[in-house]
Amino acid sequence: KRAKIKEMMKHAWNNYKGYAWGLNELKPISKGGHSSSLFGNIKGATIVDALDTLFIMEMKNEFEEAKSWVEENLDFNVNAEISVFEVNIRFVGGLLSAYYLSGEEIFRKKAVELGVKLLPAFHTPSGIPWALLNMKSGIGRNWPWASGGSSILAEFGTLHLEFMHLSHLSGNPIFAEKVMNIRTVLNKLEKPQGLYPNYLNPSSGQWGQHHVSVGGLGDSFYEYLLKAWLMSDKTDLEAKKMYFDAVQAIETHLIRKSSSGLTYIAEWKGGLLEHKMGHLTCFAGGMFALGADGAPEAMAQHYLELGAEIARTCHESYNRTFMKLGPEAFRFDGGVEAIATRQNEKYYILRPEVMETYMYMWRLTHDPKYRKWAWEAVEALENHCRVNGGYSGLRDVYLLHESYDDVQQSFFLAETLKYLYLIFSDDDLLPLEHWIFNSEAHLLPILRKEKKEVEIREE
């Protein structure tokens, strides 16, 4: 099964190489390059995103060609606007991970160079960064659709892990200072019902609309609180407290059970619940389980069980479609459970979040059903998303016939295939006690504290 997943990676990579080499992503049906505005004019998203997956799968030749491309062609001097969040998790994260796995200096150098380029995004009155940044002029702005010019919780809250490593690897404290200030701002603010709204205005330092989500716009903020604590070798107690306080508020206000007993995480809009759960929210099962170990007294088992319940709900969202792949969002209302009811929520873009939760649940419980469910997803990907030019997303997972979106997302190679590979690998491949996965499944080592303690004792 593991060999099969490696073969899928080869198929995705070889087609990218054949039809879209050096461009951001592959269009597997029309066999050309695809670029999203998220990356501005930066090129090579699939290459940088796939580096660590290639390394882990021991695809040595492919890793070397990717490394050569990075050395010769990866250029950040572009006159274009980029998404600070996407460029951080995919490019900074991908380069850091490749460096830590391979020890190749080029990756460290490029990661730090890119980190420096992102710093002007923090030039706001509050220090909460802009969502969008022109890499040449250093001018930032926010998404025009975001509540009253706000920055987005999941975007400015998903820089912490990478920026702490940038300071660690460059010796320059500025990166760590920028992300620690975000926490200072958040800790001063009043949280409605203990919840974190998705919108925060970087000029006033105040919340925008009181919308709360553990899916899109909120998701990875919570993940990074937990992982900041774990990555600090459990010394960052502020992150730990923020995480467990947030999870307690989420349990009180957002987590509900359907009439047939499926646990789901609803969205909160100014005090009213929308009984909808996004595919993105499915990462939370793995997060709850990963955090179980550090939970307050007698709650560890509860969080492990909560993780398992979310995993089951997300599996149901897959199982209740014709394609056996989950929709972008699914609802629990009007007698419907774990099914997408709106046309614009029925698509699947090769997303990894459900595989991510299966991976953590497998590692933490070794219940064989998680391998079984992961294999069902592999078969569904092969049956419905594999085309001769790579892998394509689907416009409607409830249809009998495939309607392709013609994009092979870079995160399919970075995340979906990596998590699947790890589910069918032994636990000693990237053990959770040594590695943290960033939001794009890039690997960052835990920053151990032993050395410092020795130095202090010697004094």
Side-chain angles (χ1 to χ4, degrees):
K1 286 177 175 167
R2 197 164 87 136
K4 171 64 195 169
I5 294 157
K6 180 171 174 175
E7 184 278 325
M8 292 167 73
M9 180 68 179
K10 285 202 155 123
H11 181 67
W13 178 260
N14 289 339
N15 280 290
Y16 166 75
K17 192 179 145 190
Y19 300 115
W21 184 248
L23 301 172
N24 279 320
E25 289 167 320
L26 164 69
K27 288 173 95 76
I29 307 287
S30 40
K31 299 187 174 171
H34 168 80
S35 193
S36 143
S37 61
L38 299 171
F39 312 124
N41 296 348
I42 303 178
K43 299 278 190 280
T46 293
I47 297 175
V48 177
D49 238 356
L51 281 163
D52 53 9
T53 308
L54 295 170
F55 190 92
I56 291 155
M57 292 187 182
E58 297 179 349
M59 293 169 64
K60 296 189 174 68
N61 295 343
E62 292 88 344
F63 181 81
E64 286 303 321
E65 27 178 58
K67 183 188 128 194
S68 299
W69 186 89
V70 168
E71 274 176 318
E72 291 155 28
N73 303 293
L74 182 58
D75 180 17
F76 305 127
N77 295 309
V78 294
N79 183 14
E81 217 173 33
I82 53 102
S83 158
V84 173
F85 160 75
E86 292 289 354
V87 166
N88 175 61
I89 63 171
R90 301 197 206 203
F91 285 87
V92 179
L95 291 164
L96 289 171
S97 182
Y99 171 69
Y100 282 118
L101 288 168
S102 72
E104 297 280 356
E105 177 62 20
I106 181 66
F107 299 127
R108 188 191 72 85
K109 187 172 146 286
K110 289 281 187 190
V112 175
E113 180 195 334
L114 178 52
V116 170
K117 286 254 178 219
L118 294 177
L119 289 173
F122 293 85
H123 292 166
T124 65
S126 63
I128 295 290
W130 298 113
L132 302 167
L133 178 71
N134 182 300
M135 296 279 278
K136 193 176 173 91
S137 67
I139 293 171
R141 66 178 179 115
N142 276 336
W143 297 106
W145 49 263
S147 166
S150 291
S151 299
I152 289 164
L153 183 69
E155 297 195 333
F156 66 77
T158 311
L159 304 167
H160 191 95
L161 303 182
E162 299 81 3
F163 275 54
M164 295 305 277
H165 272 280
L166 287 173
S167 277
H168 175 70
L169 288 180
S170 66
N172 186 342
I174 184 115
F175 302 105
E177 287 161 8
K178 294 293 187 196
V179 290
M180 290 309 283
N181 174 62
I182 292 173
R183 270 208 211 156
T184 307
V185 173
L186 290 172
N187 280 322
K188 281 189 192 137
L189 283 168
E190 190 67 37
K191 263 63 86 198
Q193 312 281 342
L195 295 164
Y196 287 84
N198 292 336
Y199 301 104
L200 179 58
N201 187 300
S203 300
S204 67
Q206 298 299 312
W207 299 119
Q209 276 174 304
H210 283 191
H211 287 187
V212 177
S213 169
V214 184
L217 309 185
D219 49 10
S220 43
F221 164 70
Y222 305 100
E223 171 194 357
Y224 271 40
L225 289 177
L226 171 62
K227 289 176 176 178
W229 173 61
L230 294 172
M231 195 177 82
S232 72
D233 209 8
K234 302 188 176 174
T235 58
D236 182 352
L237 298 178
E238 179 182 58
K240 179 185 184 182
K241 180 177 182 346
M242 288 172 77
Y243 171 74
F244 283 108
D245 287 353
V247 166
Q248 194 178 355
I250 286 165
E251 269 214 84
T252 304
H253 298 287
L254 307 184
I255 297 187
R256 296 290 181 264
K257 249 193 173 50
S258 73
S259 49
S260 77
L262 291 176
T263 299
Y264 63 96
I265 309 177
E267 305 202 347
W268 195 80
K269 297 198 167 165
L272 297 173
L273 281 189
E274 186 180 14
H275 297 273
K276 169 186 111 170
M277 185 164 167
H279 191 290
L280 290 166
T281 320
C282 285
F283 89 96
M287 177 180 76
F288 292 139
L290 183 63
D293 196 28
E297 66 282 3
M299 290 288 277
Q301 193 54 35
H302 166 73
Y303 284 123
L304 208 52
E305 284 164 12
L306 183 58
E309 288 181 33
I310 300 293
R312 181 168 81 100
T313 298
C314 292
H315 176 256
E316 283 300 316
S317 80
Y318 275 50
N319 212 32
R320 294 176 186 196
T321 71
F322 176 76
M323 304 274 182
K324 302 298 181 205
L325 291 164
E328 181 68 6
F330 45 94
R331 294 182 179 263
F332 295 87
D333 51 24
V336 163
E337 297 197 357
I339 289 174
T341 54
R342 303 182 184 188
Q343 193 55 46
N344 65 354
E345 294 172 350
K346 293 182 178 179
Y347 62 89
Y348 172 69
I349 57 171
L350 307 173
R351 285 206 190 275
E353 289 75 21
V354 175
M355 304 311 116
E356 177 181 353
T357 277
Y358 293 168
M359 191 278 294
Y360 284 110
M361 294 310 303
W362 166 254
R363 283 278 179 101
L364 296 164
T365 69
H366 292 118
D367 183 329
K369 76 180 173 206
Y370 298 112
R371 278 185 164 169
K372 177 177 164 287
W373 291 352
W375 192 248
E376 289 171 8
V378 168
E379 292 179 321
L381 285 165
E382 290 298 275
N383 289 336
H384 301 295
C385 298
R386 185 176 181 130
V387 292
N388 76 27
Y391 288 87
S392 172
L394 300 164
R395 293 183 199 278
D396 189 335
V397 289
Y398 298 92
L399 291 180
L400 293 172
H401 296 290
E402 291 82 11
S403 172
Y404 298 115
D405 68 8
D406 197 17
V407 181
Q408 179 175 284
Q409 304 278 348
S410 79
F411 54 67
F412 180 66
L413 295 84
E415 302 186 72
T416 312
L417 292 175
K418 185 186 290 126
Y419 286 131
L420 284 167
Y421 188 77
L422 290 172
I423 290 168
F424 296 102
S425 299
D426 293 337
D427 292 1
D428 61 4
L429 178 62
L430 310 176
L432 297 180
E433 56 269 25
H434 296 304
W435 296 97
I436 298 295
F437 292 86
N438 89 336
S439 202
E440 189 81 1
H442 293 312
L443 288 138
L444 297 169
I446 287 173
L447 293 168
R448 302 279 176 210
K449 290 289 182 233
E450 293 105 350
K451 287 202 187 83
K452 293 220 170 96
E453 285 165 24
V454 173
E455 286 158 22
I456 292 161
R457 280 197 210 102
E458 282 167 7
E459 286 165 36

